[in-house]
Amino acid sequence: MAILEILKLPDERLKQVSEPVESFGQDLRDFIADLEETRQAGPAAVGIAAPQVGRFQRIVILDVSTRPKTPNNGYLVLINPEIVHWEGYAMGREGCLSVPDYTGNVIRATQIRLKAHDAEGGLHEYAMEGFEARAAQHEIDHLDGLLFVDRVVSRRTDLYRRKVYKS
């Protein structure tokens, strides 16, 4: 396993739309292991998408189970995810490994239902709400070449420089 390099804004590759995964073999499982190691190495990262490490396939890892009192589906590998239903909207603060210096307010659906394959190719459907729904939408955006900064309501009033604490 390896920690992969995270692409960061303004890298133009982050705008690239990813291709569907068609082969569910050992190469895919090895990549998922590296992607998960990379996610865990990030600061409090609850999700990561393959394009963030330069692999333009529709692969997302999501795990919000460490957040207290957050309804969730546990650790998920989502391959070729597709949101099939969404409802409700709320504004919330988001950050990103690919935009390390900023956070921003983004409007997202509060409840979604999505379909995705697992690493072996099995198809599943998940109902998500709240923070997990927000995180899934954020990661799926990466697959379509979008970053949260593309969705902030106003770059002037809803984009914030991260605080840097001296140790």
Side-chain angles (χ1 to χ4, degrees), residues 24 60 71 80 88 91:
F24 292 84
V60 164
N80 301 333
M91 176 126 36

Tab-separated table of all heavy atoms in Angstrom, residues 24 60 71 80 88 91:
chain	number	residue	atom	x	y	z
A	24	PHE	N	-13.477	-5.091	-12.448
A	24	PHE	CA	-13.467	-5.194	-10.994
A	24	PHE	C	-12.457	-6.255	-10.541
A	24	PHE	O	-12.798	-7.204	-9.858
A	24	PHE	CB	-14.875	-5.546	-10.494
A	24	PHE	CG	-15.863	-4.432	-10.699
A	24	PHE	CD1	-16.507	-4.279	-11.921
A	24	PHE	CD2	-16.124	-3.527	-9.691
A	24	PHE	CE1	-17.410	-3.245	-12.124
A	24	PHE	CE2	-17.021	-2.486	-9.883
A	24	PHE	CZ	-17.666	-2.346	-11.102
A	60	VAL	N	-15.104	6.333	-5.192
A	60	VAL	CA	-15.166	7.170	-3.997
A	60	VAL	C	-15.050	6.274	-2.778
A	60	VAL	O	-15.605	5.164	-2.754
A	60	VAL	CB	-16.510	7.940	-3.941
A	60	VAL	CG1	-16.790	8.500	-2.564
A	60	VAL	CG2	-16.561	9.039	-4.988
A	71	PRO	N	-25.839	9.820	11.673
A	71	PRO	CA	-26.363	8.633	10.993
A	71	PRO	C	-25.495	8.303	9.784
A	71	PRO	O	-25.109	9.200	9.032
A	71	PRO	CB	-27.768	9.059	10.540
A	71	PRO	CG	-28.089	10.290	11.316
A	71	PRO	CD	-26.779	10.928	11.684
A	80	ASN	N	-18.764	3.823	-9.448
A	80	ASN	CA	-19.788	4.288	-10.391
A	80	ASN	C	-21.050	4.750	-9.654
A	80	ASN	O	-22.164	4.366	-10.016
A	80	ASN	CB	-20.124	3.197	-11.417
A	80	ASN	CG	-18.926	2.765	-12.228
A	80	ASN	OD1	-17.990	3.526	-12.432
A	80	ASN	ND2	-18.942	1.534	-12.694
A	88	GLY	N	-34.838	18.036	0.067
A	88	GLY	CA	-34.427	18.990	1.078
A	88	GLY	C	-33.102	19.634	0.710
A	88	GLY	O	-32.304	19.053	-0.017
A	91	MET	N	-27.590	24.685	3.728
A	91	MET	CA	-26.238	25.213	3.560
A	91	MET	C	-25.360	24.622	4.653
A	91	MET	O	-25.792	24.465	5.785
A	91	MET	CB	-26.238	26.737	3.671
A	91	MET	CG	-24.849	27.324	3.603
A	91	MET	SD	-24.518	28.588	2.379
A	91	MET	CE	-25.952	29.561	2.253
